[in-house]
Amino acid sequence: MVFGDSVMETLRLGLHRPSGEIPGGQTIKKYVRIRVANAQCYGYLGEELKNASFLLFGETVPLLDDTGSLFKILVFGKYEELIPPACVTDELIESTHYISVPYARVVESEDVKSSREIKKLGSEYLRFTSPVRVVKEADRGTGRHVLVEGAGWIPANAVREIGDHFPDFVEVVGMLMPSSVYGHGERGGLAGDCSSVIQSACLVCGIPCPRIAGDIAKEFGIPVSLSALDGDLRCGDIVCWSGHVGVMLDATTIRHSSEWTMGLAEEPLRDLIARRREHEPPGKREVTAIRRWPFYKPLP
């Protein structure tokens, strides 16, 4: 992939480096790292605080303000959100690997059969794409395990070195299907929403992809004419509605995560189009864009 090395480098440095001018002319005070397995961020909708992004262990984010009961951070380089201070640490770690399976169970010692899960993470699992630093390896004769700094021991086959790409992002979406339930704003193999599943799959394949459905519709790859809906869609094409995206498995079948499926599912695109026309409000019923990664080649 042309962009592979630079995209995978975001795993080492964090997905949340500013992509341009920071909103409101603010300045970055410092960077902080997510210290828990997964962290819920928040944002204001009017005057009401709502769930927003979902950040993963090991990711680094710019800190804009730490004077309130919730810290203000910059998520995905452009969105101001709020996070509980207990979820972050000033101790930055340069990652060497990333979680390459839907989820990896973390335990406190290399003797995984007698070990307990790590309570400080808030979960016993690290999620897909979480950037980690491997500091030790052990083989007890029943399988190799690695020690992740700041977390614990996980199976060695649950990580890949940063720069070790997956070859096909559509296949990665398929890999996540058995484990991923729908969760708005969530990321990682245990849960995700329509755009996070695609972004995560693209990330491990070295393909740049925005986080938000609306940005994918504008920025991912190259635009394709809506006339492709008449039979010219390809594997890997991303079909976009207002607030929703899915990826084509072939010319007629789409993979997507939504409240309708409550998980990652495959179905005929025509069924999804018909259902949205029947049930979604005006403005969200029709396909608005089709985007294509021009260098994509499906596995044979």
Side-chain angles (χ1 to χ4, degrees), residues 188-254:
L190 282 168
D193 60 27
C194 64
S195 52
S196 73
V197 167
I198 292 174
Q199 186 211 33
S200 296
C202 286
L203 174 65
V204 300
C205 293
I207 299 173
C209 180
R211 168 65 182 88
I212 306 301
D215 290 341
I216 291 176
K218 298 173 185 175
E219 302 171 15
F220 180 83
I222 59 173
V224 174
S225 171
L226 293 181
S227 63
L229 293 170
D230 296 328
D232 292 327
L233 291 171
R234 303 178 188 173
C235 179
D237 284 352
I238 298 190
V239 181
C240 310
W241 292 260
S242 176
H244 189 62
V245 292
V247 61
M248 298 303 296
L249 178 60
D250 51 39
T252 61
T253 307
I254 191 167

Side-chain angles (χ1 to χ4, degrees), residues 245-264:
V245 292
V247 61
M248 298 303 296
L249 178 60
D250 51 39
T252 61
T253 307
I254 191 167
R255 283 177 173 164
H256 70 120
S257 182
S258 75
E259 293 176 83
W260 287 103
T261 64
M262 288 311 298
L264 256 170

Side-chain angles (χ1 to χ4, degrees), residues 66-268:
D66 59 0
T67 59
S69 58
L70 294 174
F71 288 177
K72 184 188 291 185
I73 58 175
L74 196 65
V75 177
F76 298 105
K78 61 191 297 187
Y79 308 108
E80 289 184 36
E81 296 182 7
L82 302 170
I83 191 170
C87 292
V88 301
T89 175
D90 291 344
E91 298 177 7
L92 303 184
I93 297 175
E94 184 173 342
S95 304
T96 60
H97 295 70
Y98 65 95
I99 302 298
S100 57
V101 295
Y103 51 90
R105 185 168 184 262
V106 190
V107 295
E108 64 181 6
S109 80
E110 61 189 80
D111 185 359
V112 296
K113 289 186 177 180
S114 61
S115 184
R116 296 172 296 177
E117 66 268 16
I118 305 294
K119 299 295 185 183
K120 66 183 179 182
L121 295 174
S123 169
E124 59 185 296
Y125 298 104
L126 293 182
R127 296 191 180 202
F128 183 59
T129 76
S130 296
V132 299
R133 181 174 182 83
V134 171
V135 294
K136 188 177 179 181
E137 184 173 321
D139 188 343
R140 301 180 62 250
T142 56
R144 292 169 51 246
H145 291 78
V146 295
L147 178 62
V148 170
E149 187 172 346
W153 289 87
I154 64 173
N157 61 5
V159 296
R160 288 194 185 203
E161 290 186 10
I162 288 175
D164 183 5
H165 303 168
F166 281 80
D168 186 330
F169 81 95
V170 179
E171 290 299 312
V172 175
V173 173
M175 178 187 77
L176 299 176
M177 284 184 63
S179 61
S180 183
V181 299
Y182 178 78
H184 178 70
E186 292 209 45
R187 297 166 53 227
L190 282 168
D193 60 27
C194 64
S195 52
S196 73
V197 167
I198 292 174
Q199 186 211 33
S200 296
C202 286
L203 174 65
V204 300
C205 293
I207 299 173
C209 180
R211 168 65 182 88
I212 306 301
D215 290 341
I216 291 176
K218 298 173 185 175
E219 302 171 15
F220 180 83
I222 59 173
V224 174
S225 171
L226 293 181
S227 63
L229 293 170
D230 296 328
D232 292 327
L233 291 171
R234 303 178 188 173
C235 179
D237 284 352
I238 298 190
V239 181
C240 310
W241 292 260
S242 176
H244 189 62
V245 292
V247 61
M248 298 303 296
L249 178 60
D250 51 39
T252 61
T253 307
I254 191 167
R255 283 177 173 164
H256 70 120
S257 182
S258 75
E259 293 176 83
W260 287 103
T261 64
M262 288 311 298
L264 256 170
E266 291 178 6
E267 65 177 315

